[in-house]
mmCIF file of all heavy atoms in Angstrom:
data_model
loop_
_atom_site.group_PDB
_atom_site.id
_atom_site.type_symbol
_atom_site.label_atom_id
_atom_site.label_comp_id
_atom_site.label_asym_id
_atom_site.label_seq_id
_atom_site.Cartn_x
_atom_site.Cartn_y
_atom_site.Cartn_z
ATOM 1 N N ILE A 38 -3.125 38.879 4.804
ATOM 2 C CA ILE A 38 -4.289 39.605 5.330
ATOM 3 C C ILE A 38 -5.394 38.583 5.613
ATOM 4 O O ILE A 38 -5.737 37.793 4.768
ATOM 5 C CB ILE A 38 -4.834 40.657 4.350
ATOM 6 C CG1 ILE A 38 -3.709 41.726 4.165
ATOM 7 C CG2 ILE A 38 -6.078 41.289 4.995
ATOM 8 C CD1 ILE A 38 -4.235 42.840 3.186
ATOM 9 N N SER A 46 -9.836 29.139 7.913
ATOM 10 C CA SER A 46 -8.911 30.121 7.424
ATOM 11 C C SER A 46 -7.723 30.362 8.407
ATOM 12 O O SER A 46 -6.598 30.504 8.129
ATOM 13 C CB SER A 46 -9.632 31.494 7.151
ATOM 14 O OG SER A 46 -10.460 31.282 6.017
ATOM 15 N N TYR A 49 -5.338 27.544 8.238
ATOM 16 C CA TYR A 49 -4.537 27.593 7.007
ATOM 17 C C TYR A 49 -3.443 28.713 7.157
ATOM 18 O O TYR A 49 -2.235 28.487 6.881
ATOM 19 C CB TYR A 49 -5.374 27.920 5.854
ATOM 20 C CG TYR A 49 -6.282 26.842 5.366
ATOM 21 C CD1 TYR A 49 -7.567 27.144 4.844
ATOM 22 C CD2 TYR A 49 -6.039 25.485 5.535
ATOM 23 C CE1 TYR A 49 -8.468 26.205 4.381
ATOM 24 C CE2 TYR A 49 -6.914 24.494 5.222
ATOM 25 C CZ TYR A 49 -8.089 24.887 4.635
ATOM 26 O OH TYR A 49 -8.975 23.852 4.234
ATOM 27 N N LYS A 53 0.719 28.678 7.121
ATOM 28 C CA LYS A 53 1.570 29.404 6.236
ATOM 29 C C LYS A 53 2.680 30.147 6.904
ATOM 30 O O LYS A 53 3.842 30.233 6.513
ATOM 31 C CB LYS A 53 0.674 30.427 5.408
ATOM 32 C CG LYS A 53 -0.221 29.715 4.388
ATOM 33 C CD LYS A 53 -1.366 30.552 3.746
ATOM 34 C CE LYS A 53 -2.356 29.653 2.951
ATOM 35 N NZ LYS A 53 -3.364 30.338 2.294
ATOM 36 N N ILE A 94 1.943 39.271 -1.229
ATOM 37 C CA ILE A 94 0.767 39.715 -0.470
ATOM 38 C C ILE A 94 -0.301 38.608 -0.722
ATOM 39 O O ILE A 94 -0.569 38.186 -1.912
ATOM 40 C CB ILE A 94 0.134 41.012 -1.045
ATOM 41 C CG1 ILE A 94 1.205 42.143 -0.980
ATOM 42 C CG2 ILE A 94 -1.102 41.467 -0.263
ATOM 43 C CD1 ILE A 94 0.751 43.423 -1.661
ATOM 44 N N LEU A 95 -0.923 38.155 0.375
ATOM 45 C CA LEU A 95 -1.924 37.109 0.238
ATOM 46 C C LEU A 95 -3.168 37.549 1.055
ATOM 47 O O LEU A 95 -3.037 37.887 2.208
ATOM 48 C CB LEU A 95 -1.384 35.788 0.767
ATOM 49 C CG LEU A 95 -2.254 34.530 0.752
ATOM 50 C CD1 LEU A 95 -1.429 33.386 0.668
ATOM 51 C CD2 LEU A 95 -3.105 34.426 2.040
ATOM 52 N N VAL A 96 -4.306 37.599 0.477
ATOM 53 C CA VAL A 96 -5.558 37.870 1.141
ATOM 54 C C VAL A 96 -6.249 36.491 1.265
ATOM 55 O O VAL A 96 -6.670 35.946 0.248
ATOM 56 C CB VAL A 96 -6.429 38.867 0.380
ATOM 57 C CG1 VAL A 96 -7.756 39.071 1.167
ATOM 58 C CG2 VAL A 96 -5.733 40.232 0.213
ATOM 59 N N GLN A 97 -6.426 36.030 2.465
ATOM 60 C CA GLN A 97 -7.042 34.752 2.676
ATOM 61 C C GLN A 97 -8.502 34.780 2.313
ATOM 62 O O GLN A 97 -9.241 35.709 2.763
ATOM 63 C CB GLN A 97 -6.868 34.235 4.129
ATOM 64 C CG GLN A 97 -7.309 32.824 4.457
ATOM 65 C CD GLN A 97 -6.457 31.732 3.761
ATOM 66 O OE1 GLN A 97 -5.329 32.033 3.444
ATOM 67 N NE2 GLN A 97 -7.063 30.642 3.515
ATOM 68 N N LEU A 98 -8.904 33.826 1.556
ATOM 69 C CA LEU A 98 -10.321 33.664 1.142
ATOM 70 C C LEU A 98 -11.033 32.574 1.915
ATOM 71 O O LEU A 98 -10.268 31.679 2.386
ATOM 72 C CB LEU A 98 -10.426 33.385 -0.369
ATOM 73 C CG LEU A 98 -9.699 34.386 -1.265
ATOM 74 C CD1 LEU A 98 -9.755 33.913 -2.727
ATOM 75 C CD2 LEU A 98 -10.333 35.725 -1.151
ATOM 76 N N PRO A 99 -12.322 32.600 2.153
ATOM 77 C CA PRO A 99 -13.240 33.610 1.632
ATOM 78 C C PRO A 99 -13.253 34.896 2.486
ATOM 79 O O PRO A 99 -12.785 34.938 3.566
ATOM 80 C CB PRO A 99 -14.627 32.817 1.853
ATOM 81 C CG PRO A 99 -14.415 31.943 3.012
ATOM 82 C CD PRO A 99 -12.943 31.590 2.937
ATOM 83 N N ILE A 110 -8.928 41.163 -4.692
ATOM 84 C CA ILE A 110 -7.858 40.358 -5.254
ATOM 85 C C ILE A 110 -7.078 41.160 -6.347
ATOM 86 O O ILE A 110 -5.860 41.122 -6.385
ATOM 87 C CB ILE A 110 -8.370 39.023 -5.869
ATOM 88 C CG1 ILE A 110 -8.866 38.156 -4.649
ATOM 89 C CG2 ILE A 110 -7.309 38.289 -6.651
ATOM 90 C CD1 ILE A 110 -7.884 37.719 -3.659
ATOM 91 N N ASP A 120 -0.371 34.217 -4.695
ATOM 92 C CA ASP A 120 -1.426 33.241 -4.877
ATOM 93 C C ASP A 120 -1.697 32.973 -6.323
ATOM 94 O O ASP A 120 -2.311 31.923 -6.660
ATOM 95 C CB ASP A 120 -2.742 33.753 -4.261
ATOM 96 C CG ASP A 120 -3.060 33.167 -2.864
ATOM 97 O OD1 ASP A 120 -2.619 31.963 -2.685
ATOM 98 O OD2 ASP A 120 -3.679 33.820 -2.078
ATOM 99 N N PHE A 122 -3.775 34.742 -8.201
ATOM 100 C CA PHE A 122 -5.261 34.934 -8.324
ATOM 101 C C PHE A 122 -5.660 36.133 -9.143
ATOM 102 O O PHE A 122 -6.853 36.193 -9.489
ATOM 103 C CB PHE A 122 -5.964 35.026 -6.975
ATOM 104 C CG PHE A 122 -6.056 33.701 -6.191
ATOM 105 C CD1 PHE A 122 -6.451 33.671 -4.829
ATOM 106 C CD2 PHE A 122 -5.646 32.466 -6.719
ATOM 107 C CE1 PHE A 122 -6.471 32.536 -4.142
ATOM 108 C CE2 PHE A 122 -5.678 31.260 -6.005
ATOM 109 C CZ PHE A 122 -6.120 31.332 -4.644
ATOM 110 N N PRO A 139 -0.975 29.419 -9.488
ATOM 111 C CA PRO A 139 -1.674 29.192 -8.337
ATOM 112 C C PRO A 139 -1.122 27.948 -7.531
ATOM 113 O O PRO A 139 -0.769 26.987 -8.107
ATOM 114 C CB PRO A 139 -3.140 29.071 -8.646
ATOM 115 C CG PRO A 139 -3.151 28.823 -10.097
ATOM 116 C CD PRO A 139 -1.871 29.356 -10.681
ATOM 117 N N CYS A 140 -1.106 28.102 -6.186
ATOM 118 C CA CYS A 140 -0.313 27.160 -5.343
ATOM 119 C C CYS A 140 -0.879 25.709 -5.351
ATOM 120 O O CYS A 140 -0.088 24.751 -5.389
ATOM 121 C CB CYS A 140 -0.201 27.681 -4.007
ATOM 122 S SG CYS A 140 0.508 29.339 -3.916
ATOM 123 N N THR A 141 -2.159 25.615 -5.234
ATOM 124 C CA THR A 141 -2.722 24.228 -5.191
ATOM 125 C C THR A 141 -2.640 23.531 -6.503
ATOM 126 O O THR A 141 -2.132 22.352 -6.506
ATOM 127 C CB THR A 141 -4.224 24.253 -4.705
ATOM 128 O OG1 THR A 141 -4.200 24.969 -3.393
ATOM 129 C CG2 THR A 141 -4.769 22.844 -4.455
ATOM 130 N N PRO A 142 -2.971 24.071 -7.622
ATOM 131 C CA PRO A 142 -2.753 23.387 -8.933
ATOM 132 C C PRO A 142 -1.360 22.973 -9.159
ATOM 133 O O PRO A 142 -1.063 21.921 -9.658
ATOM 134 C CB PRO A 142 -3.310 24.435 -9.867
ATOM 135 C CG PRO A 142 -4.294 25.312 -9.148
ATOM 136 C CD PRO A 142 -3.782 25.375 -7.743
ATOM 137 N N ILE A 169 -10.002 28.584 -8.068
ATOM 138 C CA ILE A 169 -8.773 28.350 -7.305
ATOM 139 C C ILE A 169 -8.165 27.040 -7.679
ATOM 140 O O ILE A 169 -6.927 26.959 -7.702
ATOM 141 C CB ILE A 169 -9.146 28.375 -5.809
ATOM 142 C CG1 ILE A 169 -9.574 29.763 -5.331
ATOM 143 C CG2 ILE A 169 -7.929 27.909 -4.957
ATOM 144 C CD1 ILE A 169 -9.738 29.902 -3.802
ATOM 145 N N VAL A 170 -8.924 25.992 -7.997
ATOM 146 C CA VAL A 170 -8.328 24.688 -8.256
ATOM 147 C C VAL A 170 -8.748 24.106 -9.643
ATOM 148 O O VAL A 170 -7.884 23.898 -10.475
ATOM 149 C CB VAL A 170 -8.696 23.631 -7.164
ATOM 150 C CG1 VAL A 170 -7.915 22.339 -7.445
ATOM 151 C CG2 VAL A 170 -8.340 24.187 -5.759
ATOM 152 N N THR A 266 0.258 22.941 -1.315
ATOM 153 C CA THR A 266 -0.179 24.429 -1.541
ATOM 154 C C THR A 266 0.662 25.368 -0.721
ATOM 155 O O THR A 266 1.144 26.408 -1.238
ATOM 156 C CB THR A 266 -1.659 24.513 -0.940
ATOM 157 O OG1 THR A 266 -2.514 23.561 -1.620
ATOM 158 C CG2 THR A 266 -2.262 25.887 -1.102
ATOM 159 N N LEU A 270 3.413 28.269 -2.037
ATOM 160 C CA LEU A 270 3.360 29.721 -1.707
ATOM 161 C C LEU A 270 4.701 30.199 -1.256
ATOM 162 O O LEU A 270 5.128 31.365 -1.625
ATOM 163 C CB LEU A 270 2.428 29.806 -0.410
ATOM 164 C CG LEU A 270 2.319 31.255 0.168
ATOM 165 C CD1 LEU A 270 1.700 32.120 -0.801
ATOM 166 C CD2 LEU A 270 1.458 31.162 1.490
HETATM 167 N N1 LIG B 301 -8.711 29.887 0.696
HETATM 168 C C1 LIG B 301 -8.575 28.611 0.442
HETATM 169 N N2 LIG B 301 -7.461 28.309 -0.245
HETATM 170 C C2 LIG B 301 -6.810 29.452 -0.473
HETATM 171 C C3 LIG B 301 -5.660 29.815 -1.139
HETATM 172 O O1 LIG B 301 -4.827 29.059 -1.645
HETATM 173 N N3 LIG B 301 -5.305 31.215 -0.999
HETATM 174 C C4 LIG B 301 -6.113 32.076 -0.427
HETATM 175 N N4 LIG B 301 -5.697 33.397 -0.409
HETATM 176 N N5 LIG B 301 -7.249 31.715 0.195
HETATM 177 C C5 LIG B 301 -7.566 30.483 0.196
#
Side-chain angles (χ1 to χ4, degrees):
I38 298 180
S46 292
Y49 292 148
K53 289 170 188 181
I94 303 171
L95 181 151
V96 178
Q97 187 67 26
L98 302 177
I110 293 299
D120 255 332
F122 286 173
C140 303
T141 304
I169 294 187
V170 185
T266 302
L270 177 64

